[in-house]
Amino acid sequence: MLGGIGGRLRTAAVALMLTFGVTAGAAGCGLLGGSEPEPAAEGAPPRLTVSIMPTTDLAPFHLAVQNGYFDAEGVRVESVPAPSGQASLAKLIGGEVDIAYSSYTPFFVAQSQGAADLKFVADASSAAPNTTMIVALPGSGVRSVADLAGKRIAVTATNTISDTLVKAVMREAGVDFSGVQWISVPFPETAPALARGDVDAAFLTEPFITLAARSVGAAPIVDTATGPTAELPTAGYAALAGFADENRDAIAAFQRAMAKATDEAADRAKVEPLLVANSGIDAETASATALLTFRSALDARELQRVPDLLLEFGVLRERVDASAMISPTA
């Protein structure tokens, strides 16, 4: 970790984690075999630790590691696995990592609750067509958005971007969502839940859309990345504000490497092998999976759409200024 500040951050983390409601187990480093890195030797290149997840939009990050773009910028980057966005954020707040990758919702919720003072250092992705969808099985009685009223819908959790996007498309279609039963189901367990009839429909992202179609025949009902939510920013990288301010050179190096890798990730032939290696899917699924739009540059106006949407549907209680959370770009 840079500047030897991990211990200081960790000392302050307990109160922050209690405020945010993150469990010690989620913050622990052993869930997926992660371990706390050793301090950098004196004179060694600055080192950044980054918490990551097995998601498809981390392909540019893996490309930057694979091709040595971080090393070329003079910064050593090490990754620490996290099982969820909230756990990734917990690692950041707890001082285990310097930068956390996550969907944007946990970042904005933490900022709005005063659980952390965060700066976004890079964008990761925005919703592209067919990458975030509501699906259902033939015979479930759900064939259109209108059929979702009063149904049991699987989402990762309530008050997240999952149920927010479902509500957004239902409202856009003039469908009342007040009677929906929201069932919390992790993405990997959603296809079996559909097959058992535990839920009538489900919100999924790629590659789980493709996996559910192949394993249980789940069919798309509606693309949630349409209308007001088209190209909505979906995930990014954040650091604690104090760390970002005190380590601007290292953050700038991270940004330059990510920008180069993101441009290169436009070539799908370079991305698919990384999905197989890092996202836990086979080559056939990787070739069929719709990809989010990879991004690295942060656009304040686009990013503001996320907290505004969360505020609109009650996930946030007050407006968050996204532009104030953006770290200067290299």
Side-chain angles (χ1 to χ4, degrees):
M1 301 198 40
L2 279 172
I5 63 172
R8 174 162 50 85
L9 292 174
R10 191 155 33 274
T11 301
V14 175
L16 295 173
M17 292 166 67
L18 290 173
T19 301
F20 188 52
V22 176
T23 67
C29 61
L31 290 175
L32 290 179
S35 59
E36 188 169 348
E38 295 296 325
E42 187 174 350
R47 184 173 66 191
L48 292 172
T49 54
V50 183
S51 55
I52 62 172
M53 297 155 57
T55 59
T56 58
D57 57 347
L58 274 162
F61 175 84
H62 294 301
L63 194 61
V65 172
Q66 172 187 281
N67 292 352
Y69 296 156
F70 293 120
D71 295 336
E73 291 292 344
V75 62
R76 181 181 173 190
V77 169
E78 297 180 351
S79 60
V80 175
S84 68
Q86 185 164 309
S88 183
L89 174 60
K91 290 178 181 293
L92 179 68
I93 294 174
E96 185 178 342
V97 300
D98 304 310
I99 295 173
Y101 159 88
S102 172
S103 65
Y104 279 115
T105 302
F107 292 139
F108 283 119
V109 170
Q111 187 78 14
S112 71
Q113 294 180 347
D117 186 11
L118 301 170
K119 290 287 187 183
F120 295 117
V121 300
D123 199 0
S125 59
S126 62
N130 304 321
T131 57
T132 60
M133 305 190 78
I134 301 171
V135 304
L137 295 187
S140 65
V142 177
R143 293 180 295 277
S144 69
V145 178
D147 296 327
L148 293 171
K151 293 297 194 297
R152 300 165 300 163
I153 302 178
V155 295
T156 52
T158 55
N159 292 326
T160 66
I161 197 64
S162 298
D163 60 318
T164 299
L165 287 174
V166 175
K167 291 174 182 175
V169 296
M170 291 181 71
R171 188 179 66 178
E172 183 71 8
V175 179
D176 181 11
F177 55 77
S178 63
V180 167
Q181 291 181 257
W182 305 103
I183 311 294
S184 295
V185 183
F187 284 148
E189 299 173 20
T190 297
L194 286 166
R196 291 192 301 266
D198 295 344
V199 295
D200 303 303
F203 170 85
L204 284 175
T205 65
E206 286 285 40
F208 299 100
I209 298 169
T210 298
L211 290 169
R214 293 177 60 195
S215 62
V216 301
I221 301 302
V222 63
D223 185 347
T224 62
T226 56
T229 53
E231 300 181 353
L232 187 75
T234 50
Y237 300 85
L240 294 178
F243 180 88
D245 291 340
E246 294 168 8
N247 298 279
R248 292 188 177 182
D249 289 345
I251 294 296
F254 179 84
Q255 292 171 329
R256 289 192 296 270
M258 287 300 301
K260 183 175 182 177
T262 300
D263 290 343
E264 193 169 336
D267 182 352
R268 183 165 180 134
K270 296 183 179 180
V271 170
E272 290 184 13
L274 294 169
L275 301 185
V276 175
N278 300 292
S279 299
I281 58 177
D282 58 32
E284 184 179 356
T285 302
S287 66
T289 293
L291 297 177
L292 293 160
T293 301
F294 301 139
R295 299 187 186 280
S296 64
L298 291 155
D299 183 318
R301 187 173 62 178
E302 284 298 307
L303 193 56
Q304 187 62 49
R305 296 171 61 201
V306 180
D308 286 352
L309 185 69
L310 296 174
L311 178 65
E312 189 175 352
F313 285 95
V315 179
L316 300 183
R317 294 185 177 179
E318 58 185 26
R319 185 178 188 274
V320 174
D321 181 3
S323 66
M325 295 177 63
I326 295 178
S327 184
T329 303

